[in-house]
Amino acid sequence: MTAVQLNNLIKHFKRGKIKAVNGIDLTIEEGEIVALLGPNGAGKTTTLDMVLGLTEPTQGTVQIIGKKPRQAIDEGLVSAVLQTGGLLHDLKVGEVVDYVASNYRTPTLGRAVLERAGIEDLADRKVSLCSGGEQQRLKFALSLLPNPDLLVLDEPTAGMDVNARRSFWANMQEEAREGRTVIFATHYLEEAQSFAERVVLVAGGKVVADGPMVEVRHHTDIRLVSAHVENERAVRDQIGQHFPDLEVTIHNDLLEVKSPSSDELARLLLSIEGVSGLEISAPSLEDAFVDLTGDKEVQS
Ligand code: ATP
């Protein structure tokens, strides 16, 4: 069953001057864990807002488990942890859970969500006294109340330190194991890398890469070729002759070149006397990310 279906989704602001989302097609199947990754202003939040029916698309359609967003939310099929949206600061954590639960027409998990979010010890603490990371966990707990099939998280770990982030994702992994579909926007590459099975890179309101984490990492065929060189001038001459466009750095006898044709370059290097310790490495996710999104600013 398809959890999320976006067809040619477009959202323009200011009478078309700001093209926040500019034609996104995306299908997410039930049980998938998908990271939406992209630079500031890429259109991630606007896309998630449309998924949740918080803003109407200028064009295109959104379907959540075969339904319109508002209907899916009313039926408790989807819920979210958003960047915006406050908590009731004068209440205690447990009271907030009771209050929000009482507003659902469908049955909820009740206070059990505190344990699932790892904050069962905080039930009697006033929300205003909770740290930013604890409040973020409370938001996560609230999102679990309707026992949703789909969880939408917009930078859920913003404001958490490394340990809090790690344990947040451990809790989330539990939720995912139960078969929930999870879609989350993040700036943290390592979060996307360690948690998501699929990554969708968004830039300039469009999807610029979409695939299993490993594939996206290998999306750019640029490789970093490095080697120990004894004769800098010979190496520079040979590379300049055969690959005039490549930028060559040699520092402390260590050569580093980024090349799309690494095999040919490696062959050439090994034919030069005094070249040893040749290594070819694939780009990190971060490199791929910069390569794929670097030149695509949001159009305005
Ligand atoms: P970030 O990672 O910084 O949260 P994002 O990928 O979530 O960024 P969006 O918040 O979706 O990006 O914004 C996409 C673009 O649309 C930005 O240029 C933003 O300034 C613009 N934008 C978003 N909402 C509005 C609005 N209500 N009115 C005008 N412009 C908007």
Side-chain angles (χ1 to χ4, degrees), residues 109-147:
L109 298 176
R111 285 204 184 191
V113 296
L114 290 177
E115 198 182 329
R116 298 172 85 143
I119 49 169
E120 64 275 27
D121 296 345
L122 301 182
D124 291 324
R125 190 170 304 170
K126 243 185 166 186
V127 172
S128 57
L129 299 177
C130 293
S131 70
E134 287 165 350
Q135 293 192 13
Q136 204 59 9
R137 280 173 165 248
L138 174 56
K139 283 192 191 174
F140 171 50
L142 296 175
S143 77
L144 294 176
L145 271 172
N147 200 12

Side-chain angles (χ1 to χ4, degrees), residues 220-225 243 245-247 257-265 280:
T220 53
D221 46 10
I222 303 284
R223 296 286 182 272
L224 176 69
V225 179
F243 305 98
D245 296 335
L246 292 185
E247 199 177 311
V257 189
K258 279 187 180 167
S259 167
S261 43
S262 53
D263 290 350
E264 288 83 348
L265 177 64
I280 300 176

Side-chain angles (χ1 to χ4, degrees), residues 173-235:
Q173 227 129 17
E174 276 302 308
E175 297 303 326
R177 239 172 258 137
E178 297 207 345
R180 281 188 226 284
T181 311
V182 180
I183 169 165
F184 68 99
T186 183
H187 283 290
Y188 298 110
L189 296 169
E190 67 275 22
E191 278 192 350
Q193 207 157 2
S194 58
F195 186 68
E197 295 150 355
R198 175 179 168 195
V199 61
V200 174
L201 287 183
V202 181
K206 290 193 164 140
V207 172
V208 292
D210 175 2
M213 189 54 80
V214 250
E215 267 180 33
V216 171
R217 208 179 303 134
H218 288 90
H219 195 90
T220 53
D221 46 10
I222 303 284
R223 296 286 182 272
L224 176 69
V225 179
S226 61
H228 178 81
V229 297
E230 278 170 20
N231 186 344
E232 178 170 344
R233 174 171 291 172
V235 170

Side-chain angles (χ1 to χ4, degrees), residues 33-52:
I33 299 172
V34 180
L36 270 191
L37 215 58
N40 286 125
K44 305 180 296 293
T45 298
T46 308
T47 302
L48 295 184
D49 281 353
M50 288 189 277
V51 167
L52 294 165

Side-chain angles (χ1 to χ4, degrees), residues 10-21 46 55-58 298-300:
I10 292 177
K11 181 72 185 183
H12 292 174
F13 293 107
K14 304 239 157 116
R15 287 199 224 106
K17 277 200 210 130
I18 298 176
K19 298 177 168 73
V21 175
T46 308
T55 184
E56 277 297 308
T58 306
V298 175
Q299 298 166 28
S300 57

